[in-house]
Amino acid sequence: MLTLRRGLATMASLKKAGKVVCIGRNYADHITELNSARPKQPFYFLKPTTSILLPGDGPVIRPKGVDLHYEVELALILGKRLKDLDAKDEKAALDAIESYALSIDMTGRNVQNEAKKKGLPWSIAKGFDTFLPLSQVIEKSKIPDPHNIELYLTVNNEVRQNDSTNLMLFQIPTLLSEISKVMTLEAGDIVLTGTPKGVGPVVPGDVMRAGIRVDGKEIEEAKIEVNVEESPGAYQYAET
């Protein structure tokens, strides 16, 4: 089932997304580096829209006691309503994408590790304010094949992540199909498609830069540059 929305997403509209759905464990080497189990089907979780950090809106804030990690990902911005999408219908899946963005799925790794160990939700580990830096909106024409682009991320100009989306275990039609069987995807929703290997920590004072290359050429709208600062807030990580 498809329902069309007209017009390219604006930066302001991203913070009004109905939901942000994040695919986990979609690159084999990333699964290995975190000693995780390989999923038999797409596995996903939600991030709150309040975690979105738009370009120029300030730094990523590290909560006290949190081991803060970066995860660079291609984000899909949907322009159509999807329910029970057929995974074999690649055209319908790609037609449902209005535009793209680059994202950094910031993660409290020690919080997540505790949640995994105890069978608890990941909401705290993934949901802090500023935990989802996004690039500018990228027109679809800039990414002719989302399964064949290069994602990269540097910390203080040192390359930490640099891989192709052709390494995805589950491609976009399967991702959108599996999500839409469970929850209706609405126009304006954002879907993060998973991170390649190379995730790791950042600390206050670090500068993250990330981007997308298509056929070796940088997409200007995809560039992210964001600093990390310590939180002045009341939260302090403590074991649940």
Side-chain angles (χ1 to χ4, degrees):
M1 180 185 296
L2 302 176
T3 305
L4 179 63
R5 181 177 76 162
R6 294 183 181 275
L8 187 68
T10 64
M11 297 307 299
S13 72
L14 296 183
K15 297 198 89 166
K16 297 179 181 178
K19 54 187 170 291
V20 181
V21 186
C22 309
I23 302 296
R25 304 177 191 174
N26 201 25
Y27 289 78
D29 288 343
H30 172 60
I31 294 170
T32 300
E33 71 183 351
L34 293 187
N35 296 314
S36 298
R38 182 166 176 158
K40 297 178 182 178
Q41 60 188 19
F43 145 77
Y44 51 92
F45 55 91
L46 302 177
K47 285 179 84 91
T49 55
T50 48
S51 67
I52 291 173
L53 182 67
L54 298 178
D57 277 1
V60 168
I61 301 298
R62 184 182 73 169
K64 298 182 184 73
V66 168
D67 179 20
L68 182 62
H69 279 218
Y70 54 80
E71 300 183 2
V72 71
E73 310 195 20
L74 175 66
L76 318 176
I77 302 168
L78 298 186
K80 296 180 181 179
R81 183 177 184 272
L82 291 178
K83 180 64 180 175
D84 290 328
L85 176 71
D86 184 348
K88 296 178 182 178
D89 194 345
E90 181 176 6
K91 183 179 186 303
L94 297 180
D95 283 351
I97 300 168
E98 178 185 82
S99 50
Y100 298 98
L102 189 64
S103 65
I104 308 177
D105 174 18
M106 303 304 300
T107 303
R109 191 68 71 203
N110 55 335
V111 185
Q112 184 189 42
N113 287 342
E114 183 197 0
K116 287 180 180 179
K117 183 178 179 181
K118 297 180 178 179
L120 300 173
W122 294 7
S123 300
I124 297 174
K126 296 285 190 175
F128 286 98
D129 292 354
T130 77
F131 267 33
L132 185 54
L134 292 176
S135 72
Q136 301 286 338
V137 174
I138 305 166
E139 294 182 9
K140 284 183 75 172
S141 61
K142 300 285 183 74
I143 299 180
D145 181 2
H147 300 115
N148 189 30
I149 63 172
E150 181 184 341
L151 309 178
Y152 73 86
L153 182 142
T154 69
V155 178
N156 304 328
N157 295 319
E158 294 184 4
V159 177
R160 301 291 178 85
Q161 293 187 274
N162 188 15
D163 262 320
S164 173
T165 54
N166 64 23
L167 297 173
M168 286 183 187
L169 297 177
F170 302 105
Q171 293 197 328
I172 289 167
T174 299
L175 301 181
L176 296 181
S177 173
E178 291 300 317
I179 296 168
S180 72
K181 291 176 185 176
V182 175
M183 60 184 76
T184 300
L185 288 165
E186 302 281 1
D189 284 352
I190 300 170
V191 178
L192 274 55
T193 55
T195 192
K197 69 178 183 298
V199 303
V202 284
V203 298
D206 284 344
V207 179
M208 295 180 290
R209 295 180 176 89
I212 292 174
R213 297 187 185 98
V214 176
D215 295 328
K217 297 179 181 178
E218 193 97 15
I219 296 180
E220 194 65 29
E221 296 88 340
K223 290 182 178 179
I224 296 175
E225 179 174 335
V226 63
N227 298 345
V228 180
E229 293 185 7
E230 189 76 10
S231 173
Y235 179 87
Q236 171 72 51
Y237 170 69
E239 188 174 339
T240 301

